[in-house]
C-alpha cells in the first residue's frame, strides 16, 4: 500500500477553459497548479476527482502535440461525478491522477492506412489519434474517419469536423441515427459507410471507439472486408475506480482494463465481447 500511495493521490489542476460540445458534453482544458504529470499519449486516460463528489476515469481528448503541461478532457454528464466534472467552470480545481492504460499504437501503425470509427462521444478518445496522425501526415497512408451520432446536435467537435470535411488529408464520413431539420447527410449506422470503403486489407489498421454494440458490429464489418482482428483496436469501457489494477472493478474476463486497456486488439477483445453479461 505504501508504494501505491503516491499514484493514488490526486494532483491539483485548474480549469483553464471550458467549451460546450453538445447538449450533454463539455471539453475542459486543465493546467497544473503543482506537479506536472507525464504528457498522456493518444488512447490513455486520467482519473479525475471532483472534490466532495468522487472520481471517474476520463479519456484524453486533446492535441498530443501540445507541450505546455495542460491536459484536455471531454466529459459527458451521465452521473453525479461526471456531471460535477462537466459543470466545472474556469478557475475551479480538479484532482488528476495518471496517465493510465494503453495507447492506440499510432507509432506501430506508421506506414499503414488508418480507419478510425467513432460512435457518439467515442470521437473524444479518438481525437488525439486523429490529430497525431494529421500532425505527421507523411508517416501514414490513407486516413479515413467515420463518425456516427444520434442526431446532428450530438456531434462533438462540430467545428473541427466541418474543417476536416474540407481537408484533403482525411476522408470523413458523418452519419446520424435520426434525421432532423437541416441535416442533409447520411442516416443509418456506421457500418453502412464502413461497408462501402475500399480498403487495402494487408496494410490497414483500424481504431474504434463507442458503445459496445457499435464496436462489435463495426469490427465485424471490418473483419468481413478482410482486415485481420489483430489490426483492429477497440477502446473498452468498464467501471474503473483505482486506475492501477488493484481493485478489480474494471475486470473483463482475464483483463483489467485500467492496466490491459482501455485500447485492446480485437483478437483479444472480440471473444470477450461475445460472452453475454461478461
Amino acid at each position: 500500500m505504501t508504494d501505491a500511495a503516491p499514484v493514488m493521490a490526486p494532483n491539483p489542476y485548474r480549469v483553464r477553459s471550458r467549451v460546450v460540445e453538445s447538449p450533454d458534453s463539455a471539453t475542459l482544458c486543465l493546467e497544473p497548479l503543482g506537479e506536472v504529470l507525464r504528457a498522456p499519449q493518444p488512447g490513455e486516460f486520467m482519473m479525475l476527482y471532483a472534490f466532495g463528489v468522487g472520481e471517474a476515469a476520463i479519456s484524453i481528448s486533446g492535441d498530443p502535440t501540445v507541450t505546455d503541461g495542460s491536459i484536455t478532457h471531454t466529459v459527458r454528464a451521465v452521473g453525479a461525478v461526471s456531471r460535477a466534472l462537466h459543470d466545472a467552470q474556469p478557475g475551479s480545481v480538479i484532482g488528476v491522477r495518471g496517465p493510465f492504460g494503453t495507447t492506440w499504437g499510432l507509432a506501430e501503425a506508421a506506414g499503414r492506412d488508418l480507419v478510425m470509427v467513432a460512435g457518439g462521444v467515442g470521437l473524444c478518445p479518438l481525437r488525439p489519434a486523429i490529430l497525431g496522425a494529421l500532425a505527421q501526415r507523411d508517416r501514414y497512408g490513407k486516413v479515413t474517419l467515420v463518425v456516427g451520432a444520434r442526431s446532428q446536435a450530438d456531434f462533438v467537435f462540430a467545428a473541427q469536423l466541418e474543417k476536416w470535411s474540407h481537408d484533403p488529408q482525411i476522408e470523413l464520413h458523418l452519419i446520424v441515427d435520426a434525421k432532423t431539420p437541416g441535416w442533409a447527410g447520411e442516416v443509418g449506422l456506421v457500418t453502412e459507410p464502413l461497408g462501402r470503403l475500399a480498403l487495402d486489407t494487408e496494410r490497414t489498421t483500424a481504431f474504434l471507439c463507442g458503445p459496445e454494440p457499435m464496436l462489435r458490429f463495426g469490427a465485424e464489418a471490418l473483419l468481413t472486408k478482410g482486415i485481420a482482428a489483430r489490426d483492429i483496436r477497440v477502446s473498452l469501457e468498464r467501471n474503473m475506480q483505482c486506475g492501477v489494477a488493484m481493485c478489480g472493478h474494471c475486470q473483463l474476463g482475464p483483463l483489467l482494463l485500467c492496466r490491459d486497456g482501455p485500447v485492446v486488439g480485437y483478437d483479444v477483445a472480440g471473444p470477450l465481447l461475445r460472452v453475454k453479461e461478461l
Side-chain angles (χ1 to χ4, degrees):
M1 181 61 71
T2 301
D3 292 339
V7 78
M8 296 299 291
N11 293 273
Y13 273 63
R14 179 170 49 213
V15 178
R16 176 192 293 173
S17 64
R18 178 180 185 270
V19 177
V20 175
E21 301 288 354
S22 71
D24 59 2
S25 301
T27 295
L28 307 177
C29 178
L30 310 178
E31 58 187 5
L33 292 178
E35 179 185 354
V36 180
L37 297 174
R38 174 178 68 80
Q41 299 300 304
E44 293 182 323
F45 68 94
M46 313 291 279
M47 298 297 296
L48 301 187
Y49 187 71
F51 292 105
V53 184
E55 193 176 42
I58 307 291
S59 294
I60 301 299
S61 66
D63 187 340
T65 66
V66 172
T67 58
D68 63 359
S70 66
I71 53 175
T72 298
H73 298 272
T74 302
V75 185
R76 183 184 177 202
V78 294
V81 178
S82 59
R83 168 62 67 182
L85 294 169
H86 169 278
D87 292 347
Q89 298 299 310
S92 58
V93 177
I94 289 173
V96 181
R97 294 193 291 122
F100 301 117
T102 52
T103 74
W104 287 111
L106 267 181
E108 294 84 348
R112 297 172 63 82
D113 295 340
L114 298 177
V115 173
M116 308 190 199
V117 187
V121 292
L123 180 59
C124 304
L126 272 175
R127 182 171 176 257
I130 301 165
L131 294 172
L134 292 178
Q136 297 183 306
R137 188 63 186 83
D138 58 345
R139 297 190 66 195
Y140 304 94
K142 187 176 181 180
V143 177
T144 304
L145 174 61
V146 179
V147 184
R150 289 173 295 183
S151 69
Q152 184 177 5
D154 292 301
F155 283 112
V156 292
F157 309 116
Q160 194 153 54
L161 289 174
E162 174 64 20
K163 179 182 176 182
W164 287 339
S165 71
H166 302 289
D167 189 341
Q169 296 187 101
I170 184 170
E171 178 182 331
L172 176 64
H173 299 265
L174 301 179
I175 189 166
V176 297
D177 295 342
K179 187 174 182 178
T180 53
W183 176 252
E186 193 169 0
V187 179
L189 305 175
V190 295
T191 49
E192 295 170 33
L194 273 182
R196 297 193 302 268
L197 294 182
L199 303 177
D200 183 341
T201 59
E202 296 299 317
R203 58 168 304 202
T204 296
T205 296
F207 303 153
L208 287 78
C209 189
E212 283 190 9
M214 188 226 81
L215 296 182
R216 295 197 305 271
F217 291 126
E220 294 299 326
L222 291 168
L223 290 173
T224 298
K225 295 181 77 69
I227 306 297
R230 67 178 179 276
D231 292 327
I232 301 171
R233 295 177 66 76
V234 297
S235 184
L236 303 176
E237 286 191 6
R238 282 296 186 273
N239 182 19
M240 300 182 189
Q241 291 195 10
C242 71
V244 291
M246 292 176 59
C247 69
H249 280 85
C250 63
Q251 184 173 7
L252 177 65
L255 306 180
L256 290 175
L257 291 180
C258 67
R259 176 192 66 199
D260 306 313
V263 182
V264 180
Y266 200 68
D267 52 337
V268 174
L272 299 176
L273 293 178
R274 295 187 192 105
V275 179
K276 290 185 178 181
E277 298 182 1
L278 181 61

